């Protein structure tokens, strides 16, 4: 059991433009996860192609990169128990038609190609994505005041 697992969560350009930044941050904050890093970025094509390299043979790849390049993104690292798996559950399924109501996608979007947020799908990819989006000195180490209230 590790309460220091980290995941990379991003609010995509549509999430930013639709004014959902605070709502998405709030979900992680009130649940008890600890914010370790946050910044607004306008990523380059090359950076996005690296981030989504596993999808480069997909027919939607070019459109995905265009979409992700269309405006600023809010990039974050959240830390806590099962941050990766729980983060994915909190975002909801990739296709909002399958995202449960109560999840972020299930509450705030309709179509796969405009699904407002990103979350790492494994601890390994989280580590890779965190190092792709953040420098070591951008990650803050501190003790959450509520640590002893959130964990037994
Ligand atoms: P994930 O974001 O839930 O991990 P992935 O399969 O890794 O889902 O796909 C990355 C992103 O690519 C999705 O979040 C979505 O924005 C986009 N995407 C995935 N499948 C499709 C599709 O069939 N059409 C358009 N966009 C897609
Ligand atoms: Mg993915």
């Amino acid at each position: 059991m590790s309460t220091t697992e980290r995941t990379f969560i991003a609010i995509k350009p549509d999430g930013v433009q639709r004014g959902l930044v605070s709502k998405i941050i709030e979900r992680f904050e009130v649940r008890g996860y600890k914010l370790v890093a946050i910044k607004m970025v306008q990523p380059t094509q090359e950076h996005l192609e690296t981030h989504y390299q596993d999808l480069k043979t997909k027919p939607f790849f070019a459109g995905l990169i265009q979409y992700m390049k269309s405006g600023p993104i809010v990039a974050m690292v959240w830390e806590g128990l099962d941050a990766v798996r729980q983060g994915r559950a909190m975002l909801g399924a990739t296709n909002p038609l399958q995202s449960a109501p109560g999840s972020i996608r299930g509450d705030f979007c309709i179509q796969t190609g405009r699904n407002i947020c990103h979350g790492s799908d494994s601890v390994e990819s989280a580590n890779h994505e965190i190092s792709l989006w953040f420098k070591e000195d951008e990650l803050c180490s501190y003790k959450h005041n509520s640590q002893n209230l959130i964990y037994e």
Side-chain angles (χ1 to χ4, degrees):
M1 187 193 83
S2 167
T3 59
T4 56
E5 184 172 302
R6 290 176 171 181
T7 190
F8 174 71
I9 300 288
I11 305 170
K12 294 176 176 181
D14 49 343
V16 173
Q17 291 288 351
R18 292 182 50 208
L20 297 171
V21 171
S22 61
K23 284 199 163 66
I24 295 170
I25 292 174
E26 186 183 23
R27 299 280 180 118
F28 286 87
E29 233 180 359
V30 300
R31 183 116 195 205
Y33 284 105
K34 180 169 82 175
L35 185 60
V36 164
I38 184 166
K39 64 182 172 187
M40 186 172 239
V41 277
Q42 191 110 39
T44 62
Q45 169 112 9
E46 196 189 4
H47 188 94
L48 290 166
E49 285 175 356
T50 305
H51 173 77
Y52 279 129
Q53 62 195 352
D54 294 352
L55 299 174
K56 64 171 176 279
T57 59
K58 301 282 185 193
F60 58 82
F61 185 71
L64 171 62
I65 301 300
Q66 277 309 114
Y67 156 51
M68 292 295 290
K69 252 186 20 174
S70 67
I73 285 172
V74 174
M76 300 176 278
V77 178
W78 288 91
E79 183 182 287
L81 186 63
D82 298 320
V84 171
R85 267 182 34 195
Q86 192 68 262
R88 293 280 291 187
M90 288 166 67
L91 296 193
T94 305
N95 181 349
L97 187 59
Q98 269 108 46
S99 315
S103 68
I104 292 166
R105 287 166 174 163
D107 286 351
F108 300 128
C109 62
I110 295 173
Q111 211 182 14
T112 306
R114 294 291 182 272
N115 63 358
I116 70 169
C117 51
H118 168 84
S120 308
D121 62 10
S122 67
V123 173
E124 191 189 18
S125 55
N127 291 334
H128 177 249
E129 290 171 0
I130 290 167
S131 63
L132 179 66
W133 289 84
F134 289 96
K135 300 189 195 96
E136 195 57 49
D137 66 5
E138 290 176 309
L139 305 169
C140 297
S141 284
Y142 64 102
K143 184 168 186 283
H144 216 191
N145 248 332
S146 331
Q147 170 89 14
N148 301 331
L149 300 171
I150 291 162
Y151 301 108
E152 59 179 310

